Amino acid sequence: MSNSKKDEPVEQVETIEPPKIDDSNIPTLHLSNGFLGGAGKSTLARLFCERFIKLGRAFTLVDADPNYNVARAYDKETVALWQHQDVKSLVGSTIGSRFGRSLADKDDVKSHVDSSLLSEQIIFSKDTKFSYLGDRLLDIIYNSNQDIISSLPANDGIDFWLESNNVNALMANESPSFKVVNWWCSFGSATSQQMFVDFVTRYPNLHHVCVFNLGITSAVPNWERFDPLPALDKLSQDGKVKIANILPWLADPAILEAVDLGTPLHEIVRHGYRQKQLNPIVKLKIDTWLEANWQSFRNTGYLL
């Protein structure tokens, strides 16, 4: 019989992994962000709204853009009310008003979704005199179990809000009470990409996605401009950011016009436009476009 130690049984040591944090049941604040107007922030926010409506999931919409393109798509009547001189805030014309009422009150969607647009002002301003108007958002986050979709103005105020409320540090907690996903819409320009990299560097504890808006390309697009900068590519390779796309619009141009005028896509599909029902081919184009965009977003792991 051998006395070699190699013949002795080796004691198996159980490897204990740290528990994984399940953040699937905490609210997510989706920031539709970017540094220029027309980069796709409103389009992205509306795609998110359509996704939640499709799933029948409750959400809250915060339209913090002075043009309120997203809010007016889902509640024209209330937007018109807030534009009235006797109702609109003195701050409204220069910084913007946030408004709305329960989307669930609308007959065409009440059976599908419990969703709301905010009836009070939510303003992200760099002006310290008005910065307190954004603090209401934290109350909504902490008192709601709903995800929040926020369409932001171009490079205006969200930095101040994040810093004044110490949000980056809050996201570093082992069990944060909510999570923040920064969806940065980009034309693909080097300036836009670099600003995104700077934003990620400044707020590393947020979740970050660079959304290349391929839909703004011309008939002969310069696809090379969507190649990630080395700094962005490294962040992506290191798993610190995700990449997604808004795809080119492929449906009827008249539908695009209706969307620009503020008609939600699900209403166009169900009721048509200009008192005409859509033919099945156009409906298929819309469904295909929506699903392709949603798949790109879902690949990040931050959207259902």
Side-chain angles (χ1 to χ4, degrees):
M1 180 180 293
S2 172
N3 293 323
S4 172
K5 288 187 178 181
K6 69 179 181 180
D7 294 330
E8 297 178 1
V10 178
E11 182 180 357
Q12 297 295 321
V13 179
E14 182 181 359
T15 301
I16 301 176
E17 296 183 359
K20 294 182 179 180
I21 299 172
D22 180 11
D23 60 0
S24 59
N25 293 320
I26 66 173
T28 298
L29 172 61
H30 296 279
L31 299 175
S32 185
N33 199 6
F35 89 107
L36 279 179
K41 297 183 296 296
S42 295
T43 299
L44 181 69
R46 289 175 67 168
L47 282 166
F48 287 169
C49 290
E50 293 291 332
R51 179 61 180 169
F52 278 79
I53 291 172
K54 173 82 171 179
L55 296 176
R57 286 180 60 91
F59 68 96
T60 298
L61 170 62
V62 176
D63 193 339
D65 191 318
N67 295 320
Y68 37 80
N69 291 328
V70 184
R72 69 187 175 93
Y74 295 95
D75 202 330
K76 293 184 178 67
E77 296 87 354
T78 304
V79 169
L81 175 65
W82 275 86
Q83 288 177 308
H84 194 279
Q85 183 177 0
D86 294 336
V87 179
K88 193 171 183 179
S89 165
L90 295 176
V91 179
S93 60
T94 56
I95 297 181
S97 299
R98 316 304 144 234
F99 34 74
R101 65 185 179 197
S102 174
L103 186 61
D105 291 338
K106 287 181 167 294
D107 292 336
D108 57 348
V109 296
K110 67 162 52 171
S111 61
H112 302 287
V113 64
D114 177 17
S115 175
S116 61
L117 296 103
L118 299 183
S119 60
E120 63 259 67
Q121 290 184 313
I122 300 291
I123 294 172
F124 302 114
S125 174
K126 294 178 180 178
D127 190 332
T128 55
K129 294 195 300 293
F130 302 117
S131 61
Y132 71 93
L133 294 171
D135 293 344
R136 170 69 176 128
L137 182 58
L138 283 178
D139 294 334
I140 296 164
I141 293 172
Y142 282 119
N143 292 291
S144 171
N145 291 322
Q146 298 182 0
D147 287 347
I148 298 168
I149 300 167
S150 181
S151 180
L152 301 178
N155 191 34
D156 186 19
I158 192 62
D159 303 65
F160 188 90
W161 181 83
L162 290 168
E163 292 170 8
S164 62
N165 291 290
N166 212 19
V167 174
N168 186 63
L170 288 174
M171 295 302 101
N173 293 337
E174 289 186 1
S175 300
S177 53
F178 67 98
K179 62 182 176 181
V180 181
V181 183
N182 169 49
W183 301 81
W184 184 277
C185 295
S186 171
F187 287 121
S189 69
T191 301
S192 174
Q193 291 191 45
Q194 187 58 55
M195 291 189 73
F196 173 67
V197 170
D198 294 342
F199 195 92
V200 173
T201 303
R202 197 176 312 127
Y203 309 109
N205 297 322
L206 277 59
H207 302 285
H208 297 279
V209 182
C210 186
V211 182
F212 287 121
N213 187 2
L214 308 182
I216 53 89
T217 57
S218 61
V220 185
N222 176 16
W223 295 110
E224 288 77 15
R225 68 176 170 176
F226 293 105
D227 292 338
L229 293 178
L232 175 55
D233 190 51
K234 185 176 188 312
L235 287 172
S236 177
Q237 293 295 327
D238 292 343
K240 296 180 179 179
V241 306
K242 303 291 180 65
I243 306 294
N245 298 309
I246 296 176
L247 302 176
W249 179 260
L250 299 176
D252 191 325
I255 297 177
L256 181 59
E257 177 185 355
V259 171
D260 287 341
L261 293 174
T263 306
L265 277 169
H266 70 273
E267 290 187 3
I268 295 175
V269 171
R270 291 184 62 190
H271 306 298
Y273 64 97
R274 295 178 180 172
Q275 299 180 338
K276 292 182 180 180
Q277 291 293 322
L278 302 185
N279 67 60
I281 294 177
V282 175
K283 287 185 178 182
L284 179 61
K285 284 184 177 181
I286 294 176
D287 288 339
T288 301
W289 182 75
L290 287 171
E291 289 293 342
N293 279 290
W294 291 335
Q295 184 59 52
S296 179
F297 306 152
R298 289 199 302 267
N299 287 342
T300 67
Y302 300 135
L303 192 72
L304 297 173

